Amino acid sequence: MSSDSLVIIPTYNERENVKQIITAVIDIEEHRFDVLIIDDASPDGTATIVEQMMTEPRHASRVHLLKRAGKLGLGTAYIAGFRWALEHGYDYVIEMDADFSHPPRKLVDLQRACAEGGADVAVGSRYLTGVNVVNWPMGRVLMSYYASAYVRLITGMKVRDTTAGFVCYRREVLEAIDLDRVEFKGYAFQIEMKFTAHRMGFVIKEVPIVFVNRVSGTSKMSGGIFSEALFGVMKLRLQAMFGASKFKRKPTL
């Protein structure tokens, strides 16, 4: 049986998590999800673990790997994954972290929101029903929460969790967006994708999740990522105001 849904998981030094997260996704019974790992030359052997899993009969047709030359940024990893997904015929393409901060069981809800619930983009939202974040320092919670509020103010989007990285896209959205013109690599990448879809008229819906801070491995967060988001949002708004072509929906053929 083939799958219509692909989960893209970027990795860098995730040997503590990669086997477990792949297994958690593959073991979901309510819907079949395939997995694409995009590894940025992890020196800890993350890619080797994935390659070993790919030799096992139950994983052979469902687990895939793209190896890149080095740390090239989260946004470029997802763009590479989107292109791979479109080339291989997937209808639903989901972004997900490797560290279990995104609950694997919620993949079903995200996919259904797009397949049955009328969404073009479904966002796993930490802030739809309050603040559902576990094990983050209060300062980081406040920074993330108010960053989303800032993005809503500047962009006019109604999305509560604008920086969320747990997102399902219908293939039509990824086909319509000019992926060559996506600019940002960190938090601003997540905002840019949502804002572009919003400006092009696609329907964005949020699905509540509980976000749990990673237990194993090292966070890849940095101050530069927040700076990119802060100034990137204003740039996106200005581009939209002056009619940048990347926000224009492509005609249906």
Side-chain angles (χ1 to χ4, degrees), residues 150-162:
Y150 164 76
V151 173
R152 290 197 304 275
L153 177 66
I154 298 299
T155 65
M157 286 193 293
K158 303 301 182 184
V159 178
R160 299 292 301 178
D161 195 351
T162 54

Side-chain angles (χ1 to χ4, degrees), residues 16-237:
E16 296 97 334
N17 295 307
V18 70
K19 184 173 183 177
Q20 290 84 350
I21 195 67
I22 290 173
T23 301
V25 174
I26 295 297
D27 283 351
I28 293 172
E29 296 180 355
E30 292 92 333
H31 189 83
R32 176 181 167 125
F33 295 94
D34 290 348
V35 178
L36 173 64
I37 300 294
I38 303 179
D39 188 70
D40 277 5
S42 297
D44 71 345
T46 298
T48 300
I49 295 171
V50 179
E51 289 171 331
Q52 291 170 347
M53 294 185 74
M54 291 169 64
T55 66
E56 301 170 10
R58 72 184 297 255
H59 297 140
S61 63
R62 300 185 60 188
V63 179
H64 310 278
L65 173 67
L66 282 180
K67 294 194 290 186
R68 305 204 302 168
K71 289 190 72 174
L72 303 175
L74 182 70
T76 63
Y78 276 127
I79 293 298
F82 294 159
R83 295 188 192 283
W84 193 95
L86 294 176
E87 290 170 2
H88 289 80
Y90 289 94
D91 294 322
Y92 305 97
V93 184
I94 304 171
E95 303 175 352
M96 186 180 188
D97 288 350
D99 60 6
F100 284 92
S101 56
H102 301 142
R105 304 297 303 180
K106 282 291 185 174
L107 287 167
V108 176
D109 293 342
L110 289 180
Q111 193 274 343
R112 285 179 179 168
C114 288
E116 304 170 13
D120 297 307
V121 181
V123 177
S125 178
R126 298 163 291 186
Y127 306 129
L128 184 63
T129 57
V131 178
N132 294 305
V133 177
V134 177
N135 293 335
W136 261 10
M138 182 55 66
R140 187 167 173 184
V141 172
L142 292 174
M143 182 181 296
S144 175
Y145 182 83
Y146 285 110
S148 281
Y150 164 76
V151 173
R152 290 197 304 275
L153 177 66
I154 298 299
T155 65
M157 286 193 293
K158 303 301 182 184
V159 178
R160 299 292 301 178
D161 195 351
T162 54
T163 61
F166 193 30
V167 185
C168 180
Y169 295 94
R170 291 176 61 243
R171 73 174 290 117
E172 290 81 1
V173 178
L174 300 178
E175 288 173 332
I177 292 175
D178 187 350
L179 298 177
D180 289 330
R181 300 194 64 184
V182 176
E183 300 178 43
F184 299 111
K185 295 182 179 181
Y187 261 153
F189 165 80
Q190 300 294 358
I191 299 165
E192 182 176 7
M193 287 294 297
K194 296 178 187 70
F195 184 53
T196 304
H198 165 73
R199 291 286 301 183
M200 296 175 78
F202 289 109
V203 176
I204 303 175
K205 294 188 176 182
E206 292 182 90
V207 173
I209 68 163
V210 175
F211 180 96
V212 180
N213 193 30
R214 69 162 58 235
V215 175
S216 298
T218 304
S219 174
K220 313 305 187 294
M221 193 62 61
S222 69
I225 289 175
F226 282 107
S227 296
E228 181 192 61
L230 179 67
F231 296 106
V233 171
M234 188 62 70
K235 182 177 180 180
L236 290 172
R237 181 59 180 164

